[in-house]
Amino acid sequence: MKRILLSLSCLVAMGMTAQQETYPVPVSEEHEKMQTGQYEPTWQSLQTHETPEWFRNAKFGIWAHWGAQCVEGSGDWMARELYMEGNGKYKYHVEHYGHPSEFGYKDVLPLFKAEKWNPEALVERYKRCGAQYFFVLGNHHDNYDLWDSKYQEWNSMHIGPKRDILKEWAAAAKKAGLPLGISFHADHAWTWFEPSQRYDLEGEKAGIWYDGTLTKEDGKGKWWEGLDPQNLYQQRHPMSKGSWDNGAIHGQWDWSHGACRPSQEFVTNFYDRTLDAINRYEPDLIYFDVTVLPFYPISDAGLKIATHMYNKNPRGVVFGKILDDEQKKALTWDVERGAPNEIVSQPWQTCNCIGDWHYNTSVYKNNRYKTATFVVRELVDVVSKNGNLLLNIPLRADGTYDEKASAFLDELEVWMAQNGESIFGTRPWVRFGEGPVADSDIKIRAQGFNDGMYNDMTAQDIRFNQTNKYLYVTPMAWPEDGRLLIKSLAKGSKDFPKAVSSVYLLGHGKLKARQTADGLEVQLPKPCNKIAPVLRINQ
């Protein structure tokens, strides 16, 4: 049956309430009951929740986007792409592990050992780099739960490390005094794993089905005897429209354009698993890699998860992507690998990574990690626009980061120790910045993906933010001749009408400055850090 979903504004115009809206795949609360309280699972109710001040003050978090997909070191989405004949990850998997008809992703899971993982040491290291909150992966699109899951037998206590990863991360975050975030991505396993239903079209194994079609009965005498591969791959359904087109899934991310509709059993299983983790580990933030909320707009599952979170933790944060203006009042907007080029009235976050989301040996070997300079520029820009930065530091399967990531953290720590006061607890000024990039018409693509705008920033690109006492001015580089002109602080400026009394360079001391009709002229000393200067001016 074709169904047209009406926006909240349309419902109001028709005299309907959001409570009257129904969904074709309603979630069941047979096992896990949604926490009741101040909030109800409607957009009208959730819009009364405000992003808490602690999050607005935090500005910077670090994410351990880490799980079994790091085993092969071939990068993000490897559990899907190992089933794509001819793909680089397919070729690597076949060469090093076996053909996906004989050795599929289920067989990768036991190889995830986390044998060198020390969560306390990692979280303490991230805190020294300025992290004010800490995020971990609960599950990815691979549908493997990183805790002692009640509703998913394919989990890290049963298979792989034989450890409750979330429990140990949560304890480490609590010991370090950092709010905990958990990300849940398994709602898309239904379509994401569809390539596991395929077979080779060429070669000696042409026509032999991959292991995504196996069932529990096929496990007799195998290491996975007693486990049901379908509880991992979730492929008891027809393929989506155009499923053999590897890119079709991106247009179906919101369950449109021919995506096979998930069953109520699958939707409810994700809901149960998410509530189970929230109830056990009491996160302060939860993140979904989805359009708006999980299974929205075909199910109320996401709305009920958000409601549960807010009722359980009124100071909690729930992130959503590709939100309209009304949805941004109910959820905290997340922009992946990018930023809007304006001040956003509601607090928001960008998520990014110094390399690939899951550990990628090629990125490491080819020196393609983002530099500390790039990340600081992004952080300063995002904070100037009322946002936060959540940064992933890739970990290898054994639970350690490599020496290049270590060097990145060292450089970031030095800059943050010197200049952190210009980041934490600040708010946007009357304008976020000046210079070529600030004046450019830079668009967000899909859920973000415009972070390349930080590549070419110079000392002419300046960002502003403030506290009640100070205005902070950050050029995105040290000018070669030391001469800096801040046009927004020109004499008689309507944005800063009073005279500039003093200019202080963090990490150095007071500087001489002259306010003219062209701007505030400052002569900088030799660089006191490797990345960017920060000026502090009395308000």
Side-chain angles (χ1 to χ4, degrees), residues 414 418-419 478 505-508 525-530 532-533:
V414 169
Q418 182 182 92
N419 300 288
W478 290 86
L505 174 64
L506 299 187
H508 175 80
K526 292 181 179 180
C528 57
N529 65 64
K530 294 181 179 180

Side-chain angles (χ1 to χ4, degrees), residues 370-412:
K370 289 180 174 64
T371 65
T373 296
F374 179 98
V375 169
V376 166
R377 286 175 179 172
E378 181 176 32
L379 174 63
V380 171
D381 178 82
V382 165
V383 168
S384 75
K385 299 168 182 174
N386 203 30
N388 288 27
L389 170 62
L390 176 62
L391 182 69
N392 176 43
I393 307 297
L395 297 175
R396 294 172 288 207
D398 66 5
T400 63
Y401 49 76
D402 57 53
E403 80 282 359
K404 293 177 183 177
S406 180
F408 169 91
L409 291 171
D410 288 343
E411 193 169 346
L412 179 64

Side-chain angles (χ1 to χ4, degrees), residues 80-100:
R80 170 180 165 87
E81 294 181 26
L82 73 86
Y83 296 105
M84 295 179 179
E85 183 182 11
N87 180 284
K89 293 170 187 175
Y90 165 94
K91 292 177 180 178
Y92 184 88
H93 179 82
V94 170
E95 181 181 352
H96 293 87
Y97 296 90
H99 191 265

Side-chain angles (χ1 to χ4, degrees), residues 10 26 75 123 128 175 229 231-232 241 251 257 280 285 321 336 385 416 434 442 446 460 503:
C10 291
V123 174
R128 293 201 308 272
K175 183 175 180 180
N231 289 338
L232 179 68
K241 181 180 178 181
H257 296 91
R280 289 195 200 195
L285 316 96
K321 297 181 178 181
E336 183 174 349
K385 299 168 182 174
M416 293 289 270
E434 66 179 52
I442 298 172
Q460 289 183 296
V503 176

Side-chain angles (χ1 to χ4, degrees), residues 414-439:
V414 169
W415 191 90
M416 293 289 270
Q418 182 182 92
N419 300 288
E421 72 166 78
S422 69
I423 300 294
F424 309 121
T426 63
R427 295 292 183 269
W429 190 46
V430 294
R431 61 174 64 188
F432 74 87
E434 66 179 52
V437 174
D439 295 338

Side-chain angles (χ1 to χ4, degrees), residues 341 432-442 457 461-463:
N341 210 28
F432 74 87
E434 66 179 52
V437 174
D439 295 338
S440 300
D441 184 18
I442 298 172
M457 286 189 171
D461 293 291
I462 298 171
R463 296 295 177 267

